[in-house]
Amino acid sequence: MSSNAHTNKPVIGITVGDINSIGAELIIKTFADNRMLEFCTPVIFASNKTINFYRKLMNENNFNYQSLKEFSRLNHKQVNVYNCWEEEVQITPGILNEIGGKYAARSLAVAIECLKNGEIDGLVTAPIHKKNIQSEQFNYTGHTPYLRDAFEAKDVLMFMTADNMRVGLLTEHVPVKDVATYVTRENILAKLTMMKDSLIKDFGIDQPRIAVLGLNPHAGDDGLIGEEELKEIIPAINQAKNNGILCFGPYSADAFFARNMHSTFDGVLAMYHDQGLIPFKSLATGEGINFTAGLPVVRTSPDHGTAFDIAGKNLADHYSFRQAIFTCLDIIEKREIYAENTQNPLKKIELASE
């Protein structure tokens, strides 16, 4: 762990997101509350000038930070701003342009290097805009696949979590007309396996119960409304059960959420973006967040986008962002507990008998 010997607080890296969006405002509002420093040591990947611009715009006097160039100078009693660029950058809140995307990508790339080097313990990402961040370095539909490749993970799961529900997605940012091509036994089994592992290691649930939604209306009505359920989803569920995964379904998505069935499961696998995210954002209690399961590191983000329409107006609600930080801290702790509990059992016996 990167934390120094005199502190057991995790060091949490925070990317600034699109510099013309609400990202910097969320960060400043969150850490204007000094109590946040009791839980973690924050490192914001941006530039002093960007943070100062928004602090002045918001007239936020409770937010203070120290500038950081190298991690040996990390201050555990303050917010740290790690300067990812020195040049003058024109900030235009609420305007979608290539500058916003360029520096969002820079912030993310530097943060990932620090994560790989073990200088930070977890990552919370402020929103990016999918279109203006595109470049040769960033040819992805969002954070999730970018992180998958950055950490050479075989696969990852976009996992939306809240106090009362957790919804994972089989497909993420895929056009609806293409969704069915991804609904295969192999893909479903891979995501179910990842969800089970994550629920055990990241959320501390020993024997998680997982619900699987159908793709078609009424979960296909025995093949009357599409055959994906019969040919792909049900065989995948049966195979998962044989592999020791407690999973059930496929359920008709409308009735499943309308009848509050999600409350009886630890996780739900939805087939596509809106099938999972519309009920999640409608029914989640507390503040919903996005977690990338399947990575060797912990990454969370708020469950909303760039909100250019309110950027620079000091109207952004920072509660989901703050919850993303707390969830990141929770998962780091759960992973440490899991690692301790699953250490070599012979060593444990030897220690107990000494």
Side-chain angles (χ1 to χ4, degrees):
M1 205 163 174
S2 66
S3 312
N4 292 355
H6 66 270
T7 173
N8 57 3
K9 290 190 301 179
V11 180
I12 302 299
I14 295 154
T15 60
V16 73
D18 191 303
I19 61 169
N20 295 322
S21 81
I22 59 171
E25 292 176 66
L26 298 174
I27 294 165
I28 290 167
K29 281 185 179 180
T30 299
F31 290 105
D33 184 344
N34 285 329
R35 292 174 300 179
M36 292 299 292
L37 292 170
E38 295 169 22
F39 305 104
C40 66
T41 301
V43 179
I44 302 163
F45 290 88
S47 72
N48 293 348
K49 288 168 186 166
T50 304
I51 298 302
N52 285 340
F53 176 92
Y54 280 100
R55 181 171 66 171
K56 199 170 174 185
L57 190 75
M58 297 162 69
N59 196 22
E60 184 49 82
N61 298 322
N62 291 326
F63 178 83
N64 298 297
Y65 70 89
Q66 78 147 20
S67 181
L68 190 67
K69 288 269 178 64
E70 52 192 61
F71 274 84
S72 59
R73 311 293 293 269
L74 189 66
N75 186 339
H76 288 279
K77 293 181 177 165
Q78 248 188 319
V79 176
N80 299 266
V81 173
Y82 190 89
N83 279 273
C84 304
W85 62 89
E86 296 289 347
E87 63 266 29
E88 285 284 347
V89 176
Q90 188 180 13
I91 301 170
T92 48
I95 305 296
L96 176 66
N97 60 28
E98 62 182 42
I99 291 173
K102 176 183 173 182
Y103 290 97
R106 175 90 59 89
S107 168
L108 185 58
V110 176
I112 284 174
E113 279 310 302
C114 293
L115 202 51
K116 286 179 175 177
N117 295 339
E119 290 166 322
I120 56 178
D121 299 313
L123 182 65
V124 178
T125 57
I128 57 173
H129 192 278
K130 310 277 187 296
K131 193 163 172 69
N132 75 343
I133 198 170
Q134 297 299 320
S135 68
E136 281 179 24
Q137 290 76 38
F138 195 104
N139 185 20
Y140 297 92
T141 55
H143 281 111
T144 306
Y146 179 77
L147 287 156
R148 177 197 65 212
D149 285 3
F151 287 94
E152 297 176 6
K154 191 175 163 199
D155 196 7
V156 289
L157 174 73
M158 187 170 170
F159 208 5
M160 310 301 294
T161 78
D163 291 345
N164 65 329
M165 63 196 298
R166 298 180 196 89
V167 178
L169 302 183
L170 179 74
T171 60
E172 295 147 21
H173 300 119
V174 169
V176 172
K177 68 181 176 62
D178 299 334
V179 166
T181 61
Y182 292 88
V183 180
T184 65
R185 276 182 231 198
E186 295 76 18
N187 287 349
I188 295 163
L189 191 58
K191 298 290 186 186
L192 284 172
T193 304
M194 243 184 298
M195 188 181 286
K196 177 200 171 187
D197 290 347
S198 178
L199 288 167
I200 293 170
K201 295 174 187 174
D202 302 328
F203 296 94
I205 300 164
D206 288 337
Q207 289 190 302
R209 288 165 45 85
I210 299 171
V212 182
L213 303 182
L215 171 67
N216 298 297
H218 306 175
D221 257 350
D222 291 326
L224 286 174
I225 316 173
E227 297 187 324
E228 286 83 6
E229 284 76 13
L230 292 176
K231 290 185 173 176
E232 306 292 343
I233 301 174
I234 292 169
I237 291 170
N238 291 336
Q239 180 63 56
K241 284 178 177 171
N242 290 339
N243 294 357
I245 299 172
L246 289 174
C247 60
F248 307 86
Y251 295 101
S252 177
D254 58 346
F256 181 84
F257 289 108
R259 292 174 187 158
N260 195 32
M261 289 172 74
H262 58 275
S263 66
T264 63
F265 291 94
D266 300 301
V268 180
L269 183 66
M271 294 295 114
Y272 58 95
H273 186 280
D274 285 14
Q275 184 189 53
L277 265 66
I278 290 172
F280 179 82
K281 291 187 178 186
S282 305
L283 302 172
T285 54
E287 295 300 325
I289 67 105
N290 175 7
F291 164 57
T292 308
L295 291 173
V297 295
V298 181
R299 175 263 170 167
T300 62
S301 73
D303 72 347
H304 57 72
T306 44
F308 283 114
D309 55 326
I310 58 166
K313 297 176 182 175
N314 204 9
L315 296 173
D317 184 332
H318 65 290
Y319 293 111
S320 178
F321 191 83
R322 186 174 66 185
Q323 189 57 40
I325 292 167
F326 284 131
T327 303
C328 186
L329 293 168
D330 282 345
I331 293 171
I332 289 169
E333 186 181 6
K334 290 279 195 322
R335 283 191 180 185
E336 286 176 359
I337 292 167
Y338 177 82
E340 281 172 27
N341 291 344
T342 54
Q343 274 172 350
N344 185 335
L346 287 174
K347 275 189 181 169
K348 282 189 178 176
I349 293 164
E350 283 168 15
L351 286 169
S353 61
E354 279 175 11

